[in-house]
């Protein structure tokens, strides 16, 4: 077993850490400024739930289509530049989606924004891991918590703009320019040079893995990997329910005001931030398995009760419970997949990262079709069902260390 050598961070390392935090913040805030505008866009375009679900699925479709190219761009141009460039183009796509006058333009703009967001996501995580190696200890979870702060900030900005009657174009142009400037300033303080450190670290990890114990059987590996993909996908299903449907459900089904309806998504992301903030300590104390099962139970019961007894306050609390419950699922699945024996280094992580995006791709049209056939309340049963799925599969995660 290898142990990271702790070292004192230099001023340049600390500035780079702040810069990466800014990139994660802007990435979370940019798209969150658009989400509360979805009900208005849907009404202006005059589309049904099924068409709306297919249109918003263009965002994850763009991410899936472009995801494999992100690594090539990072190796050629550097992770910091790709992260900032992706941020700028994501803002352009979001502005175009907000101004779209047809469902085709709306979906096309979301496809572009999703593709650019995939570049930013890979690049900012790659640069965050570079900074983490300079620190010699784990700091990557703090970046994801800051992403949640950015999402809450973006959603709150949108709710404020809606309450003040600010037109969509002006609002999204303002947010795009502000976060583009922030990302460009952050670029000045990122780590310089190529991604050589990442390559060296990967080679060292590869050497360490070759001395590991004999891997499990092929059938066992396939089962565990499939279970990890489903666990991560369950987390993305819940996140998408909040981003794509929370505002619409609160405003249309429960007749909340437009500004108040945005609080459902804000509650989910805010609670998810709290879960990520304390998640590392909970996992160290109780193990990945127990934390995932407890979180899945909280999500299933919390959202299940909110749907059984539909009220505006109860639904907001239900989305908060769902966000808190799934906070550690994706990191847990990625961690377990990356350490799964019998696979080449990085293969398990790549498979889980790639396939979990199907949750974002398939969830909107499926929920939309169910909503058109029955009601959006029935469609949102995907949230408690995702929690139950994790309860069944969490046995593949690591238990508490003795």
């Amino acid at each position: 077993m290898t142990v990271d050598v702790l070292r004192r961070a230099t001023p340049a390392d600390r500035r780079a850490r702040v810069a990466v935090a800014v990139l994660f913040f802007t990435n979370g805030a940019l798209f969150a400024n658009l989400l509360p505008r979805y009900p208005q866009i849907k009404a202006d375009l005059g589309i049904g739930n099924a068409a709306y679900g297919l249109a918003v699925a263009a965002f994850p479709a763009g991410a899936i289509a472009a995801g494999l190219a992100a690594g090539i761009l990072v190796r050629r141009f550097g992770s910091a530049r790709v992260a900032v460039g992706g941020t700028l183009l994501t803002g352009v796509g979001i502005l175009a989606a907000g101004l779209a006058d047809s469902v085709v333009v709306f979906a096309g703009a979301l496809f572009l924004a999703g593709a650019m967001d995939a570049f930013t996501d890979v690049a900012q995580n790659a640069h965050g891991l570079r900074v983490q190696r300079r620190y010699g200890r784990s700091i990557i979870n703090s970046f994801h918590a800051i992403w949640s702060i950015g999402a809450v900030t973006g959603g709150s900005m949108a709710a404020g703009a809606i309450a003040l009657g600010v037109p969509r174009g002006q609002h999204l142009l303002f947010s795009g320019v502000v976060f583009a400037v922030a990302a460009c300033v952050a670029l000045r303080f990122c780590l310089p040079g190529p991604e050589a450190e990442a390559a060296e670290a990967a080679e060292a990890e590869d050497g360490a893995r070759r001395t590991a114990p004999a891997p499990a059987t092929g059938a066992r590996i396939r089962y565990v990997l499939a279970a990890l993909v489903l666990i991560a996908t369950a987390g993305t299903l819940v996140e998408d329910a909040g981003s794509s449907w929370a505002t619409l459900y609160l405003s249309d089904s429960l007749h909340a005001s437009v500004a108040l309806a945005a609080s459902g998504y804000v509650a989910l992301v805010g609670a998810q931030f709290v879960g990520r903030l304390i998640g590392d300590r909970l996992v160290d104390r109780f193990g990945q398995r127990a934390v995932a099962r407890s979180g899945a139970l909280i999500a299933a019961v919390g959202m299940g009760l909110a749907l059984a007894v539909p009220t505006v306050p109860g639904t907001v609390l239900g989305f908060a419970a769902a966000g808190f419950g799934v906070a550690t699922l994706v990191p847990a699945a990625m961690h377990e997949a990356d350490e799964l024996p019998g696979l080449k280094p990085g293969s398990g992580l790549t498979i889980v990262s790639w396939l979990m995006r199907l949750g974002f791709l398939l969830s909107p049209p499926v929920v939309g079709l169910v909503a058109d056939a029955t009601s959006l309340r029935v469609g949102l049963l995907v949230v408690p069902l995702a929690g139950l799925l994790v309860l069944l599969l969490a046995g593949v995660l690591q238990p508490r260390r003795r």
Side-chain angles (χ1 to χ4, degrees), residues 11 22 117 156 179 181 189 215 231 309 340:
V22 170
D117 181 75
S156 300
F179 296 124
V181 171
F189 301 100
I231 289 171
V309 186
L340 190 61

Side-chain angles (χ1 to χ4, degrees), residues 348-364:
L349 177 59
T350 300
I351 292 170
V352 170
S353 300
W354 175 256
L355 291 179
M356 78 173 187
R357 291 183 182 272
L358 291 176
F360 286 116
L361 178 65
L362 298 178
S363 177

Side-chain angles (χ1 to χ4, degrees), residues 147-169:
W147 183 95
S148 297
I149 296 177
V152 171
T153 302
S156 300
M157 286 173 62
I162 292 169
L164 294 173
V166 179
R168 278 201 306 270

Side-chain angles (χ1 to χ4, degrees), residues 21-31 87 124 147 150 178-180 182-183:
V22 170
L23 294 177
F24 271 82
F25 180 89
T26 58
N27 183 246
L30 264 176
F31 191 51
T87 297
Q124 68 186 9
W147 183 95
V178 167
F179 296 124

Side-chain angles (χ1 to χ4, degrees), residues 74-152:
V74 166
R75 288 190 293 271
R76 180 165 184 177
F77 299 105
S79 54
R81 291 179 179 177
V82 173
V84 174
T87 297
L88 300 181
L89 293 174
T90 299
V92 172
I94 288 171
L95 176 61
L99 297 175
D101 57 1
S102 72
V103 66
V104 174
V105 174
F106 178 58
L110 287 180
F111 186 91
L112 169 65
M116 298 303 103
D117 181 75
F119 293 159
T120 300
D121 184 44
V122 171
Q124 68 186 9
N125 275 285
H127 206 78
L129 290 170
R130 280 189 66 188
V131 176
Q132 176 172 281
R133 284 188 284 273
R134 300 285 287 267
Y135 269 71
R137 57 185 172 87
S138 177
I139 59 172
I140 195 68
N141 288 317
S142 67
F143 294 137
H144 286 270
I146 289 169
W147 183 95
S148 297
I149 296 177
V152 171

Side-chain angles (χ1 to χ4, degrees), residues 239-284:
E239 290 181 28
D240 181 75
S243 63
S244 298
W245 300 102
T247 304
L248 198 63
Y249 177 65
L250 283 162
S251 62
D252 287 4
S253 301
L254 301 184
H255 310 293
S257 66
V258 177
L260 181 59
S263 62
Y265 173 70
V266 173
L268 184 144
V269 178
Q272 187 180 55
F273 161 72
V274 174
R276 287 171 172 171
L277 201 61
I278 65 175
D280 287 333
R281 282 175 288 177
L282 291 176
V283 168
D284 287 341

